[in-house]
Amino acid sequence: QVQLVESGGGLVQAGGSLRLSCAASGRTFRNYAMGWFRQAPGKEREFAAAISWSSGSKRYADSVKGRFTISRDNAKNTVYLQMNSLKPEDTAVYYCAAGRDQYLSTSYYERHEYDYWGQGTQVTVSS
């Protein structure tokens, strides 16, 4: 029903920046909140950032707060993750996810609050 495609990943030196995009499509008229998660090799997928449909609510994991910025352009059906001051520990596959409605759940950091997931885009930060 909803398809999500991430892009913008790549290899960057520590201290550098990347901007990830997630384009949504599908035969649905439902608005939805969005989240970004990441998964490093051998580790579980963890929450990074989330945003409501209106952009009125934004949430960040402590590990990325102050460095990452989530935003969206609803006219383009796209959500972004601007990543600055990247560290080697940011290396992971980054996934975008769509929630069930336009609002952020109080459990926005939990994977089960999101119904649709993209294929992921690799971010590698070298030291």
Side-chain angles (χ1 to χ4, degrees), residues 6-11 18-21 83 121-124:
E6 303 96 332
S7 62
L11 176 64
L18 284 174
R19 184 180 178 88
L20 306 183
S21 298
M83 306 185 296
T121 185
Q122 176 70 49
V123 172
T124 302

Side-chain angles (χ1 to χ4, degrees), residues 1-64:
Q1 195 170 33
V2 176
Q3 292 80 48
L4 305 173
V5 179
E6 303 96 332
S7 62
L11 176 64
V12 65
Q13 193 171 344
S17 299
L18 284 174
R19 184 180 178 88
L20 306 183
S21 298
C22 175
S25 62
R27 287 195 279 182
T28 178
F29 292 96
R30 188 174 183 85
N31 301 319
Y32 42 82
M34 298 288 294
W36 284 97
F37 289 73
R38 63 186 187 179
Q39 187 167 23
K43 301 181 68 176
E44 293 197 6
R45 196 169 300 186
E46 66 176 11
F47 168 77
I51 187 170
S52 63
W53 177 83
S54 68
S55 297
S57 297
K58 299 178 182 179
R59 300 289 185 269
Y60 300 94
D62 289 341
S63 58
V64 308

Side-chain angles (χ1 to χ4, degrees), residues 110-124:
E110 295 284 354
R111 288 176 289 173
H112 65 76
E113 293 294 335
Y114 301 87
D115 285 340
Y116 303 97
W117 295 82
Q119 85 289 344
T121 185
Q122 176 70 49
V123 172
T124 302

Side-chain angles (χ1 to χ4, degrees), residues 33-113:
M34 298 288 294
W36 284 97
F37 289 73
R38 63 186 187 179
Q39 187 167 23
K43 301 181 68 176
E44 293 197 6
R45 196 169 300 186
E46 66 176 11
F47 168 77
I51 187 170
S52 63
W53 177 83
S54 68
S55 297
S57 297
K58 299 178 182 179
R59 300 289 185 269
Y60 300 94
D62 289 341
S63 58
V64 308
K65 197 173 300 180
R67 300 187 297 121
F68 291 11
T69 302
I70 189 169
S71 62
R72 66 191 298 162
D73 185 341
N74 290 336
K76 297 181 178 179
N77 296 313
T78 302
V79 63
Y80 305 95
L81 187 67
Q82 178 67 46
M83 306 185 296
N84 298 327
S85 302
L86 283 163
K87 306 174 181 180
E89 51 262 46
D90 294 318
T91 295
V93 177
Y94 284 71
Y95 300 88
C96 67
R100 300 183 179 93
D101 58 34
Q102 64 185 304
Y103 305 110
L104 280 177
S105 167
T106 55
S107 300
Y108 58 86
Y109 51 87
E110 295 284 354
R111 288 176 289 173
H112 65 76
E113 293 294 335

